[in-house]
Amino acid sequence: MTAPAESEEHQALRAAVAALGRRYGRDYLARTVAEGRPPTELWTEAGRLGYLGVSLPEEHGGGGGGITELAIVLEELGAAGSPLLMLVVSPAICGTVISRFGTDAQKRRWLPALADGTRVMAFGITEPDAGSNSHRITTTARRDGPDWLLTGRKVFVSGVDTADAVLIVGRTEDARTGRLKPCLFIVPTGAENFHRHRIDMELTAAEKQFELVLDDVRLPHDALVGADASHAPGGGEQDTGLLQLFAGLNPERIMTAAFAIGMGRHALAKAVAYARDRTVWDTPIGAHQAIAHPLAQAHIDLELARLMMQKAARLYDAGDDTGAGEAANMAKYAAGEACVKAVDQAVHTLGGNGLTREFGLASLITAARVARIAPVSREMILNYVSHQTLGLPKSY
């Protein structure tokens, strides 16, 4: 399923990551879930081979590529049945934000370790009462001498149990205007007054979800990403935190699309193999159009979603944040829809076998819906496109 327009380097990257994915595969991931542990072996090897840091700067231990290359890594691992959800979070969101906006000290401290996988960073933005409205975020930081005191709650934060720190989205009060400004803090998971509570999910995944409670967590000045003058007492007006936030959210949407496309490809491949081999009345069931056509449609939808994902990644890597924002939302929407349809059709193709552990498709029914819901719902994407792209009146 290699796109002919891709460069030889990208095709080689796909092949290499696909080979790594096959060495682990869906059985490996299912085993880690059953054992209640993260996919450490796969994460470690992906880091050693340079795949985790492929999008991070070379001067800080990365591969010098972009989100285009990182999306290839996640898509191919997903197609092999062993996607790494924390790829969306640690290098794509956190690594990107720090590489673009971090201080030299923050880059030296975090980027090499994020690139080789020896350190992991989670990302906390969602709050119980804010939902998709980031303007209602209530996590705030206030000055206490040279330090910050951070207070608030976050929910649905992935992988906190394996993370060394969490990149927390909060707000600070501008010293001159009193206006609350967005900001991002690097918060160690071992910090005093930092509390995590695992959320009991029916979703089958190796990565766990957590609620965080921050009760006056004391942080040094340089925990603020960029530690810039606009957040210092008497500082400037520029909302650097807002720029930082969107610099992370666009890669998050692109990588979610890659996650969904990989999952859809994995399910479709199983269904196609079954339809070729399963024979009823001396005829493979894949010869019947009622089976073949829906699978063909699923393939088309996944390919179209991939094209939009590639467009979004190219725009982002070229520095076009505005264009990437529109395309990343569209890619995430298209991939989420294509993934759900591909998984549903795959299960339907296998009939009763599609619900057995042997074929490993049933658990994807729930997992596929994640791409429709997170990190932003399809309805909010439609709001964005109707308002921002089509110029229709805003409804929210």
Side-chain angles (χ1 to χ4, degrees):
M1 195 171 169
T2 300
E6 285 188 328
S7 66
E8 290 184 5
E9 290 81 3
H10 285 171
Q11 292 181 42
L13 178 61
R14 279 193 186 278
V17 177
L20 173 64
R22 286 193 298 270
R23 293 204 298 273
Y24 289 87
R26 191 71 188 172
D27 290 343
Y28 163 78
L29 208 62
R31 188 165 64 253
T32 64
V33 170
E35 295 171 357
R37 63 182 184 87
T40 305
E41 298 87 356
L42 176 54
W43 182 268
T44 300
E45 188 165 354
R48 181 180 63 80
L49 294 171
Y51 300 147
L52 301 183
V54 70
S55 64
L56 298 178
E58 286 184 282
E59 61 266 32
H60 294 293
I67 295 301
T68 298
E69 288 75 20
L70 194 61
I72 288 173
V73 172
L74 183 53
E75 182 191 338
E76 290 304 320
L77 289 177
S82 52
L84 292 170
L85 176 60
M86 292 307 289
L87 263 172
V88 180
V89 181
S90 194
I93 303 175
C94 303
T96 297
V97 168
I98 293 172
S99 66
R100 285 187 60 175
F101 297 99
T103 64
D104 289 340
Q106 289 168 342
K107 292 176 183 179
R108 289 193 301 269
R109 180 181 181 188
W110 286 102
L111 293 182
L114 294 182
D116 66 18
T118 54
R119 277 185 159 183
V120 176
M121 190 176 290
F123 179 66
I125 180 172
T126 305
E127 295 188 359
D129 298 321
S132 297
N133 186 357
S134 59
H135 298 290
R136 292 190 61 188
I137 286 176
T138 59
T139 297
T140 55
R142 69 182 191 278
R143 285 285 190 179
D144 185 42
D147 297 337
W148 295 99
L149 292 178
L150 186 63
T151 298
R153 291 175 63 199
K154 298 292 181 183
V155 291
F156 299 115
V157 184
S158 303
V160 180
D161 54 333
T162 64
D164 300 278
V166 183
L167 187 63
I168 294 288
V169 180
R171 299 202 287 179
T172 61
E173 183 178 284
D174 186 273
R176 185 160 26 177
T177 66
R179 185 169 59 92
L180 288 177
K181 304 171 63 172
C183 58
L184 282 79
F185 285 94
I186 301 172
V187 183
T189 52
E192 188 176 358
N193 299 327
F194 176 97
H195 307 287
R196 73 184 193 213
H197 309 284
R198 181 176 164 185
I199 301 173
D200 189 15
M201 306 285 290
E202 289 199 0
L203 173 68
T204 301
E207 298 87 357
K208 307 299 186 295
Q209 300 294 313
F210 292 87
E211 176 184 5
L212 304 182
V213 177
L214 303 99
D215 185 12
D216 276 354
V217 174
R218 182 173 294 275
L219 300 168
H221 169 74
D222 60 4
L224 176 68
V225 172
D228 68 322
S230 68
H231 287 87
E237 300 285 342
Q238 185 182 13
D239 282 343
T240 54
L242 193 61
L243 298 176
Q244 294 170 5
L245 178 59
F246 283 104
L249 293 184
N250 285 336
E252 181 183 36
R253 284 153 173 72
I254 295 168
M255 292 294 286
T256 301
F259 185 89
I261 292 166
M263 187 187 305
R265 284 178 53 196
H266 175 75
L268 183 61
K270 281 185 171 289
V272 169
Y274 187 88
R276 284 198 193 107
D277 296 337
R278 174 66 168 161
T279 299
V280 179
W281 292 298
D282 300 324
T283 304
I285 63 172
H288 301 299
Q289 292 178 348
I291 298 294
H293 284 186
L295 295 177
Q297 289 174 329
H299 173 75
I300 291 170
D301 289 343
L302 289 168
E303 284 287 288
L304 292 173
R306 180 203 263 178
L307 287 173
M308 182 53 75
M309 178 190 71
Q310 290 173 330
K311 175 183 178 179
R314 284 195 299 270
L315 288 169
Y316 186 84
D317 291 339
D320 185 354
D321 287 341
T322 301
E326 178 186 65
N329 276 289
M330 291 180 178
K332 187 268 177 188
Y333 178 93
E337 297 301 297
C339 178
V340 168
K341 292 176 183 177
V343 169
D344 182 72
Q345 191 57 46
V347 172
H348 197 68
T349 299
L350 271 67
N353 284 328
L355 301 176
T356 65
R357 291 188 186 276
E358 177 185 356
F359 288 92
L361 289 175
S363 62
L364 299 183
I365 296 173
T366 305
R369 297 200 69 86
V370 172
R372 272 184 169 174
I373 297 168
V376 60
S377 71
R378 58 180 178 172
E379 288 75 20
M380 286 304 297
I381 290 178
L382 293 174
N383 281 337
Y384 176 94
V385 172
S386 61
H387 174 62
Q388 297 289 335
T389 304
L390 302 181
L392 295 172
K394 195 172 184 178
S395 63
Y396 58 97

